[in-house]
């Protein structure tokens, strides 16, 4: 019953506040047709990311975990002229689907999809002098979240915003005895956020069409 109600509320919110968009709908459809897992953000969550990036005034965005490019499109559309998104994806098939979805949305000149392990690509970005990024969205393999956060901090500046998805794990994040590596990754992320004096952070539980989970948001308050 709860999941049915969450789905209905998400649909109501989307119908009221998220304008129908052919490119975004096609991105979801083509991702599903290609067999990509249905783990993209929900439409209302995509718009939340877009609003956060716009509120922050972002011109440069780093996304860790592209999947089919759905959240990438939302973020790219938040940027002013001359803005740029770099998104990292480990799976070649996912990257190919994402590039096609991004191109159909008319954003190929805005978005660069890089293929490879994020923990290999992030040092490359630093070596290239890419960044600091104004807004960073982390939505990749959960055991590596503490490492992704550490790199996000290195590639940020005072005032950058870092958002990390799936940090509640259906409430299991509160279970110190869990042997689930995704839960342990979420717990280590929270510990890293709590121990880092250069950020002010919180986390929010969410329910909706994607089930029971949550996200963390951190504001970088000092130069890394």
């Amino acid at each position: 019953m709860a999941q049915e109600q969450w789905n209905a509320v998400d649909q109501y919110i989307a119908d009221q506040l998220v304008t129908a968009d052919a490119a975004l709908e096609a991105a979801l459809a083509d991702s599903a047709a290609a067999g990509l897992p249905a783990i993209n953000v929900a439409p209302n969550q995509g718009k939340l990311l877009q609003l956060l990036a716009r509120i922050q005034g972002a011109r440069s965005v780093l996304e860790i975990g592209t999947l089919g490019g759905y959240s990438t499109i939302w973020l790219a559309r938040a940027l002013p002229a001359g803005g740029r998104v770099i998104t990292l994806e480990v799976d070649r098939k996912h990257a190919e689907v994402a590039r096609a979805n991004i191109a159909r949305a008319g954003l190929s000149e805005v978005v660069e999809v890089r293929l490879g392990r994020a923990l290999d690509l992030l040092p490359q970005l630093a070596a290239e002098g890419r960044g600091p990024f104004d807004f960073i969205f982390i939505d990749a393999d959960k055991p590596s979240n503490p490492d992704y956060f550490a790199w996000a901090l290195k590639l940020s500046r005072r005032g950058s915003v870092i958002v990390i998805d799936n940090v509640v794990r259906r409430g299991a994040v509160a279970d110190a005895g869990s042997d689930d590596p995704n839960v342990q990754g979420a717990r280590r992320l929270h510990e890293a956020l709590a121990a880092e004096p250069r950020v002010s952070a919180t986390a929010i539980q969410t329910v909706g069409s994607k089930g029971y989970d949550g996200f963390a948001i951190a504001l970088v308050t000092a130069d890394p």
Side-chain angles (χ1 to χ4, degrees), residues 50-205:
Q50 184 184 82
L51 289 173
L52 289 173
R54 290 183 66 186
I55 291 166
Q56 200 271 347
R59 295 185 59 85
S60 60
V61 171
L62 172 63
E63 180 181 49
I64 303 174
T66 314
L67 194 60
Y70 182 74
S71 56
T72 319
I73 294 170
W74 276 109
L75 288 167
R77 288 178 170 176
L79 302 183
R84 188 77 171 161
V85 176
I86 296 178
T87 182
L88 313 180
E89 175 55 49
V90 68
D91 188 288
R92 184 173 300 276
K93 181 179 180 181
H94 295 182
E96 290 172 355
V97 172
R99 288 188 179 108
N101 287 333
I102 290 162
R104 182 175 46 231
L107 294 166
S108 293
E109 299 302 313
V110 178
V111 178
E112 177 186 355
V113 180
R114 294 200 178 192
L115 177 65
R117 291 180 66 251
L119 291 178
D120 295 330
L121 297 175
L122 289 162
Q124 293 176 18
L125 289 175
E128 294 169 13
R130 305 300 293 265
F133 292 92
D134 302 319
F135 190 93
I136 300 171
F137 178 48
I138 301 172
D139 190 10
D141 65 295
K142 309 312 170 187
S144 298
N145 270 349
D147 299 316
Y148 296 150
F149 169 65
W151 273 106
L153 192 58
K154 291 177 184 178
L155 290 165
S156 65
R157 58 167 176 80
R158 184 193 300 262
S160 293
V161 172
I162 303 170
V163 177
I164 309 103
D165 201 8
N166 307 125
V167 301
V168 172
R169 313 303 306 175
R170 298 183 180 178
V173 71
D175 179 8
S178 173
D179 58 4
D180 184 336
N182 294 317
V183 173
Q184 287 302 317
R187 288 181 61 86
R188 288 188 293 113
L189 170 68
H190 283 278
E191 291 162 5
L193 288 167
E196 178 50 68
R198 294 167 294 177
V199 303
S200 179
T202 192
I204 297 293
Q205 300 181 78

